[in-house]
Amino acid sequence: MLFDVAVLTDSRQLEHKPEDWYSRQVHHEDGLVLDALRDAGLTVCRLAWDDAGFDWRQARSLLFRTTWDYFERFGEFSPWLSRVSRQCRLFNAAELIRWNLDKRYLVELQNKGVAVVPTLYIEKGERRTLAQLADASGWNELILKPAVSGNARHTYRFDAGDDQRLECAFGDLVEREAMLLQPFQRQVLEQGELSLMVVDGRYSHAIRKTPKPGDFRVQDDHGGSVHPHQASAEEIAFAEAAVRAVPFDVLYARVDLVRDGQGRLAVMELEMIEPELFFRFRPEAAGLLAAGLRRRLADSAA
């Protein structure tokens, strides 16, 4: 059977485990997407991206949804991505995925006039110590994280002068991968982090993520909380402009924002590979995604 869309997850998320809140949430949101695609007249299936038994030529397109192990298995994911991009259409496209994989894309956004959180990029194999890099940055409170990462993997908060406790970890990490330093955005502790969903070029809905007491990570995997947010006209315009600055067609994006110390909006990250899009806060947004995908398939067939 030829499917119009294969909705991709990772093997850990395939089975629905009703007793697990996380599994319930994943399957609820993927279910909203599957139903919207079917309502749009498309034939669909859901499977793991690493399913060795599936012939990818049996899908006209692949929709990345919950492939949340790709950064842990990048040595497998990267060649797989190259193969399947020659066999079917990807949403978002492979070129955009590769661009979005490395957080150095923030430099390109900044060069196009999009305000981003200041970032110091540290190439793989850097010989300077973390203390030297932190001192060169001039920031008092810092975040260290990999350039290719997700879900706060190897993300550390530290103060200038307190970097010694991370020197060994930093040395091990930078031997294997590029890293980055950013000033810690203290307002995240007080106001949280905003995420605005932009589907098919237009703002759809927004949420505010806040960390649990004593932590700085906003992801619910780490105890963070998610709340609906009514985005302002300023926030909406900023998020849509950030997505327009991306040099590729973007079906879906999550724009993670923060206000800096002067109250100005800045991009923390643009998530366009497999972002959680929080459809449970606005189920209709799944229909917008399905409509945009269907139109792109129709345009490519014309």
Side-chain angles (χ1 to χ4, degrees):
M1 177 178 179
L2 178 63
F3 294 98
D4 291 315
V5 189
V7 176
L8 299 181
T9 185
D10 72 49
S11 57
R12 301 169 300 180
Q13 312 301 335
L14 274 176
E15 182 185 355
H16 185 197
K17 302 172 184 176
E19 71 284 359
D20 180 356
W21 71 269
Y22 194 76
S23 178
R24 289 197 306 271
Q25 185 168 284
V26 167
H27 281 261
H28 173 60
E29 297 219 347
D30 275 2
L32 291 172
V33 173
L34 290 163
D35 288 345
L37 291 167
R38 293 188 185 105
D39 289 345
L42 301 170
T43 55
V44 300
C45 63
R46 179 178 184 268
L47 69 161
W49 67 268
D50 61 348
D51 188 329
F54 186 77
D55 182 353
W56 299 102
R57 292 169 296 184
Q58 294 303 303
R60 293 177 63 200
S61 68
L62 308 182
L63 176 62
F64 290 81
R65 276 291 301 146
T66 50
T67 55
W68 292 336
D69 60 347
Y70 81 89
F71 48 83
E72 299 165 349
R73 303 172 57 193
F74 190 68
E76 302 167 64
F77 179 81
S78 182
W80 172 86
L81 183 67
S82 297
R83 289 196 304 272
V84 297
S85 65
R86 294 191 294 267
Q87 297 173 315
C88 43
R89 184 124 182 225
L90 308 187
F91 296 106
N92 285 311
E95 296 81 8
L96 172 53
I97 289 174
R98 292 199 183 280
W99 184 83
N100 193 217
L101 273 169
D102 192 316
K103 292 180 177 61
R104 278 174 283 203
Y105 69 79
L106 291 169
V107 170
E108 190 165 342
L109 291 180
Q110 188 173 38
N111 290 341
K112 291 187 175 183
V114 178
V116 304
V117 171
T119 304
L120 173 65
Y121 295 91
I122 307 167
E123 297 293 345
K124 175 182 174 181
E126 171 66 58
R127 305 322 302 172
R128 285 176 292 176
T129 66
L130 181 60
Q132 290 170 326
L133 292 162
D135 183 63
S137 75
W139 301 319
N140 294 321
E141 297 178 282
L142 303 96
I143 293 290
L144 171 71
K145 57 185 175 182
V148 178
S149 186
N151 198 29
R153 179 181 75 90
H154 289 309
T155 297
Y156 304 98
R157 174 188 171 190
F158 67 99
D159 295 334
D162 185 34
D163 38 65
Q164 193 58 43
R165 64 185 175 87
L166 293 175
E167 282 290 4
C168 289
F170 170 74
D172 289 340
L173 286 167
V174 81
E175 285 295 318
R176 303 194 302 267
E177 56 187 314
M179 304 292 292
L180 55 85
L181 280 176
Q182 294 177 323
F184 176 61
Q185 304 298 307
R186 176 162 285 278
Q187 53 274 31
V188 169
L189 301 179
E190 303 159 0
Q191 304 173 14
E193 176 184 305
L194 296 181
S195 289
L196 275 67
M197 272 42 77
V198 177
V199 180
D200 202 10
R202 300 294 299 275
Y203 165 76
S204 170
H205 58 293
I207 55 95
R208 183 185 296 274
K209 296 175 284 187
T210 56
K212 70 179 182 181
D215 206 333
F216 67 95
R217 297 168 297 183
V218 297
Q219 294 86 354
D220 52 14
D221 312 61
H222 301 291
S225 302
V226 180
H227 317 273
H229 174 72
Q230 186 64 47
S232 69
E234 178 197 16
E235 291 161 352
I236 292 170
F238 184 90
E240 290 182 347
V243 173
R244 285 196 302 272
V246 174
F248 303 96
D249 176 54
V250 182
L251 175 58
Y252 55 85
R254 193 185 79 215
V255 186
D256 293 340
L257 303 177
V258 68
R259 289 191 181 271
D260 65 18
Q262 287 72 48
R264 297 170 300 197
L265 291 170
V267 171
M268 292 193 74
E269 293 188 14
L270 273 186
E271 298 281 3
M272 297 175 290
I273 301 173
E274 34 58 81
E276 185 174 4
L277 294 174
F278 300 96
F279 289 122
R280 61 189 180 275
F281 290 94
R282 192 185 175 213
E284 301 90 337
L288 301 177
L289 177 68
L293 191 154
R294 179 181 180 178
R295 189 181 71 254
R296 284 165 172 78
L297 285 181
D299 289 347
S300 64

